[in-house]
Amino acid sequence: MNPLDVAALSDSCGEQQRAALAYVTEAFAEAILAGIESDSFAYAALCAALRELVATYGEDSVAAFAETLPAKLRSGEFTTGLRH
């Protein structure tokens, strides 16, 4: 099993990651149109993503990656609109 490359996942998305994000964004929009609340879909997508990463890299590697998220969240890395 390959170790999770925290730096690669933390860096800006590459071409394949941008394409994957487009698919996820489209699925998100379709779910909203179907009446699923955005926070419910976001939580489900996050859980599915973490499960896939754990299945591929293991709990310890994914936990190390998850530990990098608070700073990224606070710095606005995932913010697409106005901040609250």
Side-chain angles (χ1 to χ4, degrees), residues 16-70:
Q16 187 171 13
Q17 289 83 5
R18 279 191 291 275
L21 182 58
Y23 281 106
V24 172
T25 302
E26 185 176 323
F28 196 102
E30 289 181 22
I32 301 305
L33 289 173
I36 297 173
E37 293 184 17
S38 63
D39 59 333
S40 293
F41 186 87
Y43 182 77
L46 183 57
C47 288
L50 289 170
R51 285 183 186 138
E52 186 63 30
L53 289 172
V54 167
T56 302
Y57 300 106
E59 289 85 358
D60 289 338
S61 292
V62 177
F65 169 69
E67 289 171 357
T68 68
L69 295 176

